Amino acid sequence: METKEYIENRINTKIREYEGLSRKYHKAHIGIQIACFCCLFGCIVLNVLYLILPIVWFVLSSVVLVVASLFLLFFDVLNEFSNKASSYKYKASMLSYEKNLYLGKSNDFENFSYRCEHFM
């Protein structure tokens, strides 16, 4: 198998897959954090409304929102969406590095040393 075929078939496919998984887990993490923040903000609004209009349903609904936000927070922490996103991002960057090494090797490292010096 030639170097270009290996890069196209194996490395680029895996890089796209890992970047897609990283984006998916990052979006899930951010979405859960936004939902948790919205639940806590809604709880604060309901508590302020309870000071103005003392209705028991405001207190009960604020308790439900606090429990929901804690559930979302623990769900995110236990599933480690943030860690999964960063690990897949790391894997994609390592494969990109490997791809650059293969490209440098196929070109007998002519332009590769210049690129390394340029980015350092």
Side-chain angles (χ1 to χ4, degrees), residues 26-93:
H26 181 70
K27 286 180 183 179
H29 170 68
I30 295 299
I32 288 175
Q33 292 301 314
I34 289 172
C36 182
F37 175 75
C38 289
C39 286
L40 290 175
F41 184 72
C43 176
I44 291 170
V45 168
L46 286 173
N47 286 333
V48 169
L49 285 176
Y50 180 73
L51 293 175
I52 298 169
L53 299 169
I55 300 174
V56 177
W57 290 107
F58 288 159
V59 173
L60 294 176
S61 58
S62 68
V63 168
V64 168
L65 284 176
V66 166
V67 169
S69 68
L70 288 176
F71 171 75
L72 288 171
L73 182 67
F74 288 134
F75 182 76
D76 185 40
V77 169
L78 290 176
N79 285 322
E80 298 178 342
F81 287 137
S82 178
N83 292 338
K84 288 179 183 177
S86 62
S87 71
Y88 280 119
K89 183 104 173 149
Y90 177 76
K91 286 179 183 180
S93 66

Side-chain angles (χ1 to χ4, degrees), residues 100 112-120:
N100 288 335
F112 187 69
S113 61
Y114 172 73
R115 281 185 270 157
C116 287
E117 288 175 8
H118 179 69
F119 287 113
M120 291 177 131

Side-chain angles (χ1 to χ4, degrees), residues 95-114:
L95 281 176
S96 177
Y97 176 72
E98 181 183 353
K99 179 178 89 170
N100 288 335
L101 282 178
Y102 275 119
L103 288 174
K105 185 178 178 183
S106 67
N107 293 334
D108 294 328
F109 294 101
E110 292 171 0
N111 295 327
F112 187 69
S113 61
Y114 172 73

